[in-house]
Amino acid sequence: MLIPLQVAYKPVGKPEIGVNNYQGFHPGKTEVLQKGWNGYGTRPLESDIRIDHDVEIVVRDGCRLYVDVYRPAETANKVPAILGWSCYGKKYSALSMLPMTVWHCCVKREQLSGLEKFEGLDPLRWCPRGYAIVSVDTRGTGNSDGQIPIMGSQDAEDGYDVVEAIASLDWCNGNVGMAGNSALAISQWFIGATQPPSLKAIAPWEGAGDLFREQFCRGGVFSMSNFDLITEKIIKGPSGVEDFAEMYRRSPVANQYWNDKRADMTKIRCPAFITGSDITSIHTMGAIRGFMEISHDRKWIKWSSEQEWFELYMDPDSNEELAIFFDRYLKEIDNKWEDTPRVRWTALQFGDVPDIHEINSSDFPFPNTEYRELFLGDGRLEPTPVGVSSVASYNSEQPADFVNFDYTFPSASRLIGLPKAILYMSCAERDDLCVYVILRKKDKHGNTLDHLNFPLNATPYKSITEIPPNERASLNLHQGSVGVLRASHRAIDPKRSLHSQFPFHPHEVEEKISPGEVVRLEIGVWAMGIAFEEGQTLSLRVPYTPGGRVMH
């Protein structure tokens, strides 16, 4: 059901030929690109691919949406379709986006065809496998009618209609899947929850599930995240896009609008192959909640140590594994996919040390998890309560000022799961405070470590320590798992909490505090997997100062 609330929109740039690979409006145009075609000076096609441009699909309210269809040209057999759904242009490719990022995310041009919708599957790889790749201009983008919704019920309703329309096309075998990173993953939670009969499998790889709690208002603290860049540089359409800053001004607490941006994953009925990681600043908990809340057992989660675009476009094994999943559910091939371990985790080692992969489990959190409490002491995390009370303070107006609490492991250990921080805090001069905490790793000499989000041999450097400050960003370096909470949003609804370690904050009211009043803050820290050697240290830092160059 669409929300009965007026939504604010702001203008975006109109499509221009030559900008973001927009090539004009060509309904009815069909062409075949021959094997060896290399129109972007990148990777030549490995098979003939037929492209149907600007195929019109009319959704239930009469709006016309347009899709491009890439399908095998060499077969008369019906094929399954994999849909890439986002508000980015259907011809906006990784070749357009990745030059804006550090090191181009270590993705080489010669690994791409330029036909891929950014964050989506490359037809070069998938058409020879007997799949059609469908890229959509969602409502209000490109030449599609309407104004641009960002996730939520309108976008999901459109997705339902498009899935069913694709399944009915004469070249399709009636089975549709969805795949892709980030925006293309987030949309899968929402569309999957509407249960289109022809949607037979989804593969949300790194996808948030709640735009209020995980992107724009994490912990009750508003941030435009990367969305200003997206609306300025990427999204193009005839009208406008939802204005999150204005919607927050109208309601800084959760209301019908913000609640519509939380996917109900319990309603997803089709098989799901989920990936996630510690290292994203947006998507970690969407992947976790998706796995934990989908109520059937045809779900799998794989935890990664690599940035999502690198993994999608540079890791051939990831596409091979995804093909096995889709072969099972879109082609109905009995290929033993169900024997895949339900949970495969990675423990980060940080520094230049390779990570530990394929830590398998039957469920998440791991059933054999041992939960331990550590107590804040004088700069330390103690295994037993400290007998004397004390105060640690920092100046929140000085970004370099923080307090630190360390625990040094007496033996090799792994921390895999959902951490939580319980802090008692006050502010002498304000009626509210925004608290950021981060869990960092230190080596045996007390040096704070970073994790590199790409294989070291794919970067221009031989060690993380060589990376200069102007090339350090959240996209390529992960410092540790973070928790955020505004004190006035501290209320918890235990019945809606994902886990006792990850409290659910309704964000429905603001409870201001009196200056100097001590309040209890229960802060869920995003999921982590870290391996520690004997003598290495876990460090709790308050506050963590978000900032620097963020491109994700």
Side-chain angles (χ1 to χ4, degrees), residues 203-487:
W205 284 16
E206 295 275 17
D210 185 328
L211 299 193
F212 186 91
R213 291 170 181 81
E214 295 164 18
Q215 184 168 6
F216 293 104
C217 301
R218 184 172 172 187
V221 181
F222 181 74
S223 167
M224 280 302 289
S225 183
N226 59 352
F227 204 69
D228 281 335
L229 178 143
I230 290 171
T231 55
E232 180 184 349
K233 300 290 188 182
I234 300 175
I235 298 177
K236 305 293 180 183
S239 184
V241 65
E242 288 189 40
D243 188 339
F244 288 112
E246 172 59 17
M247 294 307 293
Y248 178 77
R249 186 196 66 78
R250 296 179 187 181
S251 178
V253 295
N255 62 358
Q256 286 179 303
Y257 173 78
W258 291 116
N259 291 338
D260 189 53
K261 304 303 183 186
R262 180 178 174 87
D264 186 352
M265 293 152 168
T266 65
K267 293 181 178 179
I268 295 173
R269 296 289 180 265
C270 63
F273 178 16
I274 304 162
T275 72
S277 69
D278 296 11
I279 64 180
T280 169
S281 59
I282 298 174
H283 304 304
T284 300
M285 291 310 299
I288 295 290
R289 186 165 70 89
F291 181 79
M292 293 179 68
E293 290 192 349
I294 291 177
S295 58
H296 59 72
D297 61 1
R298 294 179 303 163
K299 58 182 179 180
W300 294 265
I301 188 168
K302 181 180 179 182
W303 214 244
S304 178
S305 63
E306 295 175 350
Q307 200 278 336
E308 65 211 55
W309 305 328
F310 179 88
E311 186 170 49
L312 179 64
Y313 294 126
M314 289 296 292
D315 183 355
D317 291 340
S318 66
N319 278 267
E320 290 295 326
E321 189 169 43
L322 185 59
I324 297 171
F325 171 72
F326 280 136
D327 283 352
R328 177 68 186 94
Y329 296 110
L330 302 188
K331 294 184 177 181
E332 301 175 11
I333 297 173
D334 185 6
N335 55 15
K336 308 301 181 183
W337 166 263
E338 285 88 352
D339 294 341
T340 303
R342 290 270 301 280
V343 176
R344 290 174 289 166
W345 222 257
T346 293
L348 307 182
Q349 300 243 60
F350 283 70
D352 298 335
V353 182
D355 302 307
I356 303 170
H357 302 285
E358 298 293 334
I359 305 170
N360 298 338
S361 175
S362 60
D363 205 354
F364 184 89
F366 285 25
N368 61 344
T369 300
E370 179 184 344
Y371 293 95
R372 294 184 182 180
E373 290 184 324
L374 297 174
F375 300 88
L376 275 61
D378 183 14
R380 296 186 300 276
L381 293 170
E382 303 285 3
T384 58
V386 180
V388 179
S389 63
S390 60
V391 175
S393 62
Y394 61 90
N395 184 348
S396 60
E397 296 180 346
Q398 297 294 329
D401 197 16
F402 58 87
V403 292
N404 205 71
F405 304 91
D406 289 348
Y407 176 80
T408 300
F409 286 89
S411 59
S413 303
R414 291 177 183 172
L415 299 186
I416 296 177
L418 297 168
K420 181 172 68 173
I422 299 176
L423 304 176
Y424 293 83
M425 299 189 65
S426 67
C427 181
E429 300 175 358
R430 305 283 182 177
D431 63 359
D432 207 351
L433 59 153
C434 300
V435 180
Y436 299 81
V437 303
I438 185 169
L439 296 174
R440 302 207 62 179
K441 181 178 178 178
K442 295 180 178 179
D443 65 18
K444 295 178 180 180
H445 306 291
N447 300 308
T448 305
L449 301 174
D450 293 325
H451 166 77
L452 182 63
N453 299 341
F454 307 105
L456 190 57
N457 60 11
T459 75
Y461 301 100
K462 296 181 180 180
S463 172
I464 293 175
T465 58
E466 297 177 3
I467 302 173
N470 67 333
E471 295 181 21
R472 290 177 173 263
S474 62
L475 193 67
N476 62 342
L477 291 172
H478 171 67
Q479 294 182 328
S481 294
V482 173
V484 182
L485 184 62
R486 182 187 289 270

Side-chain angles (χ1 to χ4, degrees), residues 70-86:
Y70 304 81
R71 53 194 175 98
E74 303 163 338
T75 179
N77 296 328
K78 294 190 175 186
V79 298
I82 303 174
L83 174 62
W85 186 279
S86 79

